[in-house]
Amino acid sequence: MEKVSTNNLTNQMCAEDPAHDIWKRQRHPLDCIFHPRSVAVIGASEREGSVGRTLLWNLIRSPFGGTVFPVNPQRHSVLGIKSYPDIASVPEVVDLVVIATPAATVPQLIRECMAVGVKGAIIVSAGFKEIGEAGAELEQQVLTEARRGGMRIIGPNCLGVMNPLVGLNATFAGAIARAGNVAFISQSGALCTSILDWSLGENVGFSAFVSIGSMLDVGWGDLIEYLGDDPHTHSIVLYMESIGDAHAFLSAAREVAMDKPIIVLKVGHTEAAAKAAASHTGALTGSDEVLNAAFRRCGVLRVHTISDLFDMAEILAKQPRPKGNRLSIVTNAGGPGAIATDALISGGGELSELAPETLQQLDQFLPPQWSHHNPIDILGDASSDRYAKTLEVVANDPNSDGLLVILTPQAMTNPTQTAEKLKAYSQLGKPVLTSWMGGAEIAAGTQILNQANIPTYPYPDTAVRLFNYMWRYTYNLRGIYETPSLPTDSDQYAPDRLLAEKILAPAISSDCSLLTEYESKKLLAAYGIPTVPTEIAKSDLEAVEIADRFGYPVVLKLHSEIITHKTDVGGVRLNLEDAAAVTRAFMAIASKVRAINPQAFLGVTVQPMVKTDGYELILGSSLDPQFGAVMLFGMGGQLVEIFQDRALALPPLNTTLARRMMEQTRIYQALQGVRGRKAIDLAKLEQLLVNFSQLIVEQPQIREIDINPLMVSPDGMIALDARVVLHNADITERPIPAIRSYPSKYVQPWESLKGDLLTIRPIRPEDEPLMVLFHQGLSEESVYLRYAHMVKLKQRIAHERLTRICFIDYDREMLLVADSKNLQTSEHEILAVARLSKLHGTNEAEFALIVSDRYQHQGLGTELLRRLLEIGKEEKLSAIIGYILGSNHTMQSICRELGFQLQPDQEEGMLKAVFVP
């Protein structure tokens, strides 16, 4: 493996990146489960048909290169193998124990395993939290014991684990899976056995086959991260009943999904299914809409049938992802083409419009009666040559993102010969799918296509459904890694956090859970969200005085710390044209509210009447028990619950994610301009959503917040009403945000030795253009120290690479940049970059840094590394390491100055720097 210098910015997924080539470099804590050198079966039995017997038999009949020890205090041998009374009696250190004893015995067994250094356990026993409180208490005892010594546990209540690549079968299934490149993880053990049986008949292979059970310890996030590092795993498919640790799942999935498809079948999208899943696993199922938003945010593809689960794993392994949703259909029959078209459109896809040059080329060799549009019906007498020529022409059409070739067996059509012709077109840079319809007559052609990595399906609507999954998968990934825009003057969008704190502090100290409308609008304004001018009037005379100053017409609204929905109690009066109308409105509101609750009336707010020639939107946030704060955007107004036109997303957002959120709603089409009406300023609305998401994540005291309506028009946008609900002071445990927000606390000024003022701050997705300029200014020497070999500029500034640098998960790594702002032009420049990346499966991190040539020897590298060390201390890391070229004396000197210990690393041929916080 090639090693990079510590004096660099590490590309986290590249082969030369030391921080992420863990598979080869060191033993991962989960290796004791997937690659054990020795296994003990506690509860091994001779009894025919027992779980203990099946587990032991599976381990010994499928050699995995390790030793197997039966543990049974009642027997001297099991299945002819010497048995031991307890784990302490086993003569070797055991990597993995498989426990198949009653649930009540498990806590003590885990305690005994910990005492002899066992690092991994699979608990197949049932009788834990799925049976109620007593079982849940047993689980906590097991987890407490395991955490004392760092033991990792799969289960309980699971089938076990297979690693077919090495022959490990630590399950009580009937057979071991075939070896392959798909990792399958399931919460249902019964589904595992069904999938296993199906896979053996279909010759489908797996790199890992895991029944995860109740996820007491090892969860989705652990396994996705581990299998993401596994070079033998090309895709990861999940059967999910509950998400468990949502934060860990999102973090791991977001890191892995860019390189390996993660496909999930999540049950519980109906109320009945959610109840069934909860009773089966003992875990609550969260809101399905929120879950979809979470999957979109981390690039996970959700499907809804078992067949789609594995079909998508196959198709993404064989064919490239489409760049868009436009499909070209080639068929020899009109009916199947129409069926495919209906399925495409209903699933959100589009028929590609054939380019003029494509039509012209097709006219040169197709019969005059061909359809002359998409679907491209090349008629029932289509020969294999006609199919091949058509596919070749249509594949080059710039308007097409993918191709579907349909064949129905007709007298003049040879399915096998046509398949032979088409197999040469398996890699066109866009996906090619086929539907060979029929039975025995098309079987040989189907086999030819599948062997050529061209997926084929018996029905065209099935193929189209999978194409729709493919483009949505691309769309979601692009939303995550598409470079967002940064406002021309980003400083004007910086929130006034001191003002926000000043607004919230009195309510929090007085344990008031509801902000008034006046306070709510002030809070929005602190985050750059325009609000209508609002003043409080405690008497009718004050109301008239304010109205006279604003100018008529005006609006009066109830001012209360108790009542949230003012319209429901008659607390809103619109379009008041004069002082007399204002007085009458004040008296009416006061009278009606005091009759309901005398303590609720504190006065009214007076606001100018805003023209409603625009669109009423709603923007809000509420808490999900699994994912924390969830944003809502959609059509607003009084009928918001009736129209149900809304989209959900997990904050924080950037402008790209904000646009994606808007695109999911029907009102978005109107916002772009319809029927002669001008479009609104979508870029400005994107930024408003970004600011709102920032408010949500930076003010965790907020439990709920609504802006309804948010009035938008070509002339501008303004929040007409707002409602903010705070957590009660006695509630200390709040849902943790699913995604860590931008760590603004690390934004700090710094002065160089020359006196230049810089800002050292965490990187943002918007920094990609600045990173391109930064790399363009590096010398060959700095590049060499970056990689320990020369890397071309084109490679260093490729979007695919820079996204992994700019779009980081702040929980997994921290990347600081030194930012210089030109005061005359307001342009920014990045002068240095420093990175701290957590190593998978450990509590250590690796650092890397690089400084622009013209800013070297100014103390900047030392300052960046010092700040990384401070961050490492805050994250409670056990060690921070780096690798330095022997010729890089400057970096060695900096490390020694900051307290690193340097030692030769013969394997890497470099110096290893180690800092223990």
Side-chain angles (χ1 to χ4, degrees):
M1 182 189 70
E2 191 169 36
K3 192 61 186 175
V4 302
S5 167
T6 285
N7 181 343
N8 66 41
L9 166 63
T10 322
N11 178 356
Q12 77 176 39
M13 301 300 290
C14 285
E16 73 266 20
D17 178 6
H20 296 272
D21 198 3
I22 308 305
W23 200 262
K24 294 180 180 179
R25 235 175 40 134
Q26 60 187 28
R27 192 162 170 83
H28 190 286
L30 293 187
D31 281 345
C32 61
I33 295 173
F34 288 91
H35 296 268
R37 290 166 290 205
S38 55
V39 181
V41 180
I42 302 179
S45 171
E46 287 272 7
R47 184 164 53 86
E48 194 72 36
S50 67
V51 172
R53 178 189 175 96
T54 307
L55 282 166
L56 181 61
W57 177 243
N58 282 345
L59 283 164
I60 60 178
R61 74 168 176 170
S62 176
F64 60 91
T67 311
V68 181
F69 300 99
V71 176
N72 186 328
Q74 307 301 323
R75 300 189 65 88
H76 294 293
S77 67
V78 181
L79 297 181
I81 305 173
K82 177 178 171 57
S83 179
Y84 298 88
D86 51 46
I87 191 68
S89 302
V90 175
E92 295 181 16
V93 176
V94 173
D95 279 347
L96 173 66
V97 295
V98 186
I99 299 176
T101 62
T105 67
V106 175
Q108 177 60 29
L109 291 173
I110 293 295
R111 189 177 301 116
E112 293 172 5
C113 290
M114 290 298 308
V116 295
V118 177
K119 292 300 182 182
I122 299 172
I123 304 175
V124 302
S125 314
F128 289 90
K129 70 179 177 184
E130 71 273 8
I131 68 168
E133 290 186 12
E137 174 58 28
L138 280 176
E139 281 198 0
Q140 287 307 306
Q141 294 177 28
V142 170
L143 187 60
T144 299
E145 295 298 332
R147 291 274 166 85
R148 286 176 180 169
M151 175 186 282
R152 302 311 308 266
I153 296 175
I154 298 280
N157 190 16
C158 68
L159 181 72
V161 172
M162 295 182 194
N163 183 347
L165 298 173
V166 299
L168 176 71
N169 184 5
T171 75
F172 56 93
I176 188 171
R178 297 181 188 276
N181 55 31
V182 176
F184 177 62
I185 312 170
S186 171
Q187 272 184 292
S188 168
L191 183 66
C192 278
T193 57
S194 301
I195 294 296
L196 177 62
D197 188 53
W198 164 83
S199 69
L200 294 172
E202 293 293 320
N203 201 30
V204 174
F206 298 93
S207 58
F209 197 87
V210 184
S211 168
I212 200 171
S214 298
M215 299 191 298
L216 172 62
D217 174 40
V218 175
W220 301 112
D222 298 297
L223 290 171
I224 289 171
E225 178 184 276
Y226 183 77
L227 295 166
D229 284 335
D230 177 14
H232 306 293
T233 296
H234 296 174
S235 59
I236 302 170
V237 298
L238 316 174
Y239 170 80
M240 180 184 290
E241 292 174 352
S242 62
I243 198 165
D245 187 339
H247 185 90
F249 171 82
L250 286 174
S251 180
R254 182 181 167 199
E255 179 177 288
V256 173
M258 192 67 174
D259 295 280
K260 299 182 181 182
I262 301 173
I263 308 157
V264 59
L265 173 60
K266 168 64 172 71
V267 296
H269 61 274
T270 64
E271 186 176 346
K275 185 176 180 181
S279 62
H280 180 61
T281 63
L284 295 176
T285 303
S287 162
D288 203 59
E289 281 187 273
V290 177
L291 198 61
N292 282 334
F295 288 153
R296 285 193 300 270
R297 183 62 186 268
C298 64
V300 167
L301 174 63
R302 183 179 188 178
V303 299
H304 298 285
T305 67
I306 295 174
S307 61
D308 287 347
L309 194 67
F310 290 96
D311 282 342
M312 286 308 300
E314 176 193 23
I315 201 170
L316 290 171
K318 289 181 175 180
Q319 291 291 315
R321 297 194 304 264
K323 295 181 180 178
N325 67 343
R326 303 167 301 175
L327 181 66
S328 298
I329 301 171
V330 178
T331 178
N332 68 340
I339 291 171
T341 299
D342 283 345
L344 178 69
I345 303 303
S346 62
E350 296 180 8
L351 280 174
S352 62
E353 183 176 345
L354 298 178
E357 58 269 26
T358 301
L359 288 168
Q360 185 178 7
Q361 291 178 59
L362 292 175
D363 280 336
Q364 291 176 5
F365 63 87
L366 290 179
Q369 298 85 3
W370 80 278
S371 61
H372 292 87
H373 58 73
N374 189 15
I376 304 161
D377 187 348
I378 60 176
L379 307 180
D381 63 347
S383 65
S384 57
D385 285 335
R386 189 186 299 174
Y387 263 106
K389 288 181 181 179
T390 303
L391 180 59
E392 184 174 355
V393 170
V394 177
N396 292 320
D397 192 305
N399 298 333
S400 176
D401 298 311
L403 301 105
L404 169 61
V405 182
I406 303 171
L407 182 144
T408 60
Q410 302 185 36
M412 294 76 70
T413 302
N414 187 322
T416 305
Q417 192 176 70
T418 302
E420 281 286 354
K421 288 279 188 180
L422 296 192
K423 72 180 185 181
Y425 300 96
S426 62
Q427 298 297 325
L428 296 174
K430 58 183 69 173
V432 180
L433 287 71
T434 61
S435 176
W436 257 224
M437 302 177 68
E441 190 175 348
I442 57 92
T446 296
Q447 185 175 6
I448 290 169
L449 291 169
N450 283 328
Q451 289 176 348
N453 284 336
I454 299 178
T456 183
Y457 305 94
Y459 306 111
D461 50 340
T462 302
V464 166
R465 183 176 71 250
L466 297 174
F467 174 77
N468 279 335
Y469 275 134
M470 291 179 79
W471 71 256
R472 288 188 185 280
Y473 178 56
T474 300
Y475 175 83
N476 290 342
L477 284 178
R478 190 179 295 152
I480 300 171
Y481 293 107
E482 185 176 292
T483 306
S485 60
L486 189 66
T488 304
D489 186 3
S490 57
D491 293 340
Q492 67 173 312
Y493 293 102
D496 189 340
R497 296 183 179 89
L498 291 178
L499 176 59
E501 184 180 347
K502 187 177 179 181
I503 295 167
L504 290 170
I508 295 170
S509 62
S510 62
D511 199 16
C512 178
S513 62
L514 180 69
L515 295 187
T516 65
E517 181 193 359
Y518 177 78
E519 294 167 331
S520 298
K521 288 181 176 176
K522 290 291 186 184
L523 181 62
L524 294 178
Y527 277 80
I529 299 172
T531 61
V532 63
T534 301
E535 293 189 24
I536 300 172
K538 297 183 179 180
S539 68
D540 57 330
L541 293 178
E542 283 187 26
V544 170
E545 187 274 327
I546 295 170
D548 287 343
R549 188 157 24 91
F550 280 158
Y552 295 94
V554 295
V555 176
L556 261 60
K557 295 182 183 180
L558 169 66
H559 178 57
S560 174
E561 294 178 348
I562 298 174
I563 296 175
T564 61
H565 297 289
K566 298 178 282 293
T567 304
D568 295 347
V569 296
V572 179
R573 299 299 166 103
L574 306 174
N575 211 28
L576 305 176
E577 298 284 356
D578 51 36
V582 170
T583 301
R584 290 193 298 270
F586 183 95
M587 296 302 182
I589 293 172
S591 174
K592 193 161 187 176
V593 174
R594 283 170 176 158
I596 298 171
N597 183 345
Q599 306 300 319
F601 184 78
L602 299 178
V604 300
T605 60
V606 184
Q607 309 165 27
M609 184 73 189
V610 177
K611 293 181 180 179
T612 57
D613 184 21
Y615 301 100
E616 290 186 329
L617 304 177
I618 184 172
L619 191 56
S621 172
S622 60
L623 286 182
D624 179 86
Q626 291 178 309
F627 293 96
V630 179
M631 275 183 64
L632 177 144
F633 169 86
M635 183 185 297
Q638 294 183 352
L639 300 179
V640 61
E641 288 87 1
I642 304 299
F643 289 111
Q644 293 281 309
D645 179 25
R646 81 278 180 97
L648 303 182
L650 301 181
L653 303 183
N654 55 42
T655 54
T656 298
L657 294 171
R659 179 68 67 101
R660 288 288 194 269
M661 190 180 188
M662 292 190 287
E663 288 173 351
Q664 295 171 52
T665 62
R666 295 188 298 277
I667 190 66
Y668 177 70
Q669 290 182 302
L671 300 179
Q672 297 176 87
V674 292
R675 296 186 177 180
R677 301 184 69 171
K678 294 181 180 179
I680 71 158
D681 188 339
L682 291 174
K684 191 172 182 180
L685 182 57
E686 287 172 9
Q687 189 60 50
L688 190 148
L689 265 64
V690 171
N691 293 0
F692 185 77
S693 76
Q694 192 174 4
L695 165 62
I696 295 167
V697 298
E698 289 188 355
Q699 305 299 338
Q701 310 93 319
I702 296 175
R703 180 161 60 92
E704 295 179 18
I705 180 170
D706 283 334
I707 303 175
N708 187 25
L710 173 68
M711 184 64 64
V712 299
S713 71
D715 299 323
M717 47 200 70
I718 191 167
L720 298 185
D721 204 352
R723 171 178 169 269
V724 177
V725 180
L726 305 179
H727 287 284
N728 293 329
D730 58 346
I731 298 178
T732 56
E733 291 190 11
R734 303 167 185 168
I736 300 173
I739 299 171
R740 184 170 177 177
S741 62
Y742 184 78
S744 54
K745 66 179 181 178
Y746 297 136
V747 179
Q748 297 175 353
W750 180 77
E751 185 175 345
S752 73
L753 296 178
K754 294 192 303 183
D756 295 337
L757 295 177
L758 308 178
T759 299
I760 295 178
R761 59 172 176 82
I763 202 165
R764 302 172 299 204
E766 294 87 349
D767 287 326
E768 184 179 343
L770 296 180
M771 286 298 296
V772 171
L773 296 175
F774 172 73
H775 275 278
Q776 288 174 343
L778 294 175
S779 68
E780 290 188 358
E781 181 183 7
S782 292
V783 172
Y784 173 75
L785 292 175
R786 156 62 173 96
Y787 290 99
H789 65 280
M790 290 306 302
V791 180
K792 293 181 179 179
L793 175 63
K794 183 178 180 180
Q795 181 182 346
R796 287 187 280 123
I797 63 174
H799 172 71
E800 292 75 13
R801 176 184 172 276
L802 290 182
T803 55
R804 303 182 188 283
I805 293 171
C806 300
F807 295 73
I808 63 171
D809 180 346
Y810 299 112
D811 267 329
R812 289 179 171 265
E813 54 192 335
M814 191 62 64
L815 197 149
L816 300 178
V817 298
D819 184 346
S820 172
K821 181 181 179 181
N822 188 312
L823 298 179
Q824 295 180 338
T825 64
S826 295
E827 292 181 350
H828 290 259
E829 180 184 9
I830 289 177
L831 300 174
V833 187
R835 187 176 198 157
L836 189 67
S837 300
K838 292 182 181 178
L839 301 178
H840 291 177
T842 74
N843 191 37
E844 299 178 357
E846 184 167 340
F847 79 91
L849 66 89
I850 184 169
V851 178
S852 173
D853 289 69
R854 62 190 178 87
Y855 253 83
Q856 294 175 6
H857 309 294
Q858 293 296 314
L860 184 52
T862 303
E863 179 63 18
L864 284 169
L865 185 52
R866 185 190 65 78
R867 294 195 185 190
L868 287 184
L869 297 182
E870 290 298 322
I871 293 170
K873 292 176 183 177
E874 286 190 31
E875 297 292 323
K876 296 180 171 57
L877 296 174
S878 59
I880 297 170
I881 64 173
Y883 292 86
I884 311 173
L885 286 171
S887 59
N888 194 344
H889 302 294
T890 301
M891 194 68 234
Q892 295 170 32
S893 176
I894 291 174
C895 286
R896 289 192 181 94
E897 179 184 339
L898 293 174
F900 280 83
Q901 297 296 318
L902 271 62
Q903 56 197 45
D905 189 307
Q906 295 181 352
E907 181 182 350
E908 305 298 346
M910 305 174 81
L911 291 173
K912 181 178 181 179
V914 180
F915 179 87
V916 179

